Each structure stands twice: as structure tokens, then as C-alpha cells.
Amino acid sequence: MEELSRPEIDAFLHQEFVGRLGCHAEGQTYVVPVIYAYDGASLYVYSVEGRKLAMMRANPEVCFEVDRYEGPGRWRSVIAWGRFEELSGADAERARTLLAARFPSLGAGPSHERPRGDGRPAVAFRIRVREATGRRRLPD
């Protein structure tokens, strides 16, 4: 097993599309997959109101994990720790722009104005990455 350097961690976070967000509040731990964009310092996400947002508002310290299976005996993963920040105004627009660039099918226009799913509003947030570690496994 090998440790990834910070440039390798950053490159991996830029390449991938889905991460797992871990949050903990009131004695409960919740891990959920999200699509994201990474700008080199923060992870940006749009999500509908629900459990993860309520938990992150109660305890903004979170963990984020991204991994890739690359074949038998080959994998790569990154774990990042950071702080949840709900976004509005220009910051929410930046999140929308970053995500739209990675996921053109999300469509144009401010996502926070369009309800999703069962009518719950979408909320933009970022996780400011404070620390990150990464590892890879290559076959012998």
C-alpha cells in the first residue's frame, strides 16, 4: 500500500464525481453518496433539505470519502475532513457553476430556485477541506 501525496490527492478529487459524505449528530452517524465539484480547497454540493443537512447544521464537522476500484488488487481512496458551510448568494452561484461545468445535464439556471424531488428546496453547501489523506494499492 502507498500513501498519496497532496498533489495526487487533489488530482484524484478533481477526477472523481461521487463521494460519500459522513456526518454525525445527536448520537447518529449518517453516510450518504453525493455528486460534487472540487476547487482545490473545498468540495461543493447541492442537495435537497433532509437528514444530512439537518445533521450538518447541528454538527458541521464532517468527513468525505472518495474511492475507485481499478481492478484486482488495485484501488485508490481519499478521506478528507472539513467543515460544512451552507451557501447563499454569490457563493451558492459559484457552487452551481462548478457543478454545472462537471455535470452539464443538471441544466442552466439557479438550482436553488428549483425544488427537487418531492418539492423540497435545493441547498448549496461546501466542505472546506482541513485535512486529507490518500492511499492506493497496486498488485505485487
Side-chain angles (χ1 to χ4, degrees):
M1 195 166 6
E2 299 176 15
E3 298 286 325
L4 298 178
S5 67
R6 186 57 197 233
E8 290 172 317
I9 289 169
D10 286 341
F12 186 68
L13 290 173
H14 280 292
Q15 293 165 4
E16 294 303 308
F17 296 94
V18 177
R20 288 155 195 83
L21 175 64
C23 44
H24 183 84
E26 299 179 16
Q28 276 193 318
T29 301
Y30 187 56
V31 177
V32 61
V34 295
I35 61 171
Y36 72 94
Y38 180 62
D39 71 356
S42 297
L43 301 149
Y44 291 83
V45 179
Y46 254 97
S47 180
V48 295
E49 286 286 350
R51 178 182 290 182
K52 71 180 156 292
L53 285 163
M55 292 178 80
M56 290 186 299
R57 287 172 181 142
N59 178 10
E61 295 300 319
V62 300
C63 185
F64 196 82
E65 189 271 348
V66 180
D67 58 71
R68 181 192 308 151
Y69 174 74
E70 298 173 333
R74 297 177 63 92
W75 54 265
R76 184 178 313 232
S77 71
V78 167
I79 298 176
W81 293 268
R83 189 167 184 85
F84 159 80
E85 295 178 356
E86 195 164 335
L87 303 175
S88 62
D91 289 331
E93 182 60 24
R94 174 166 163 67
R96 189 203 63 79
T97 300
L98 289 168
L99 287 159
R102 293 198 79 204
F103 304 98
S105 66
L106 292 178
S111 297
H112 61 280
E113 294 177 3
R114 294 192 313 260
R116 305 279 178 104
D118 60 2
R120 296 176 290 166
V123 175
F125 66 90
R126 76 176 150 220
I127 298 162
R128 288 192 187 265
V129 176
R130 178 179 60 253
E131 178 185 354
T133 63
R135 291 187 174 87
R136 76 173 140 233
R137 170 77 164 84
L138 303 172
D140 298 328

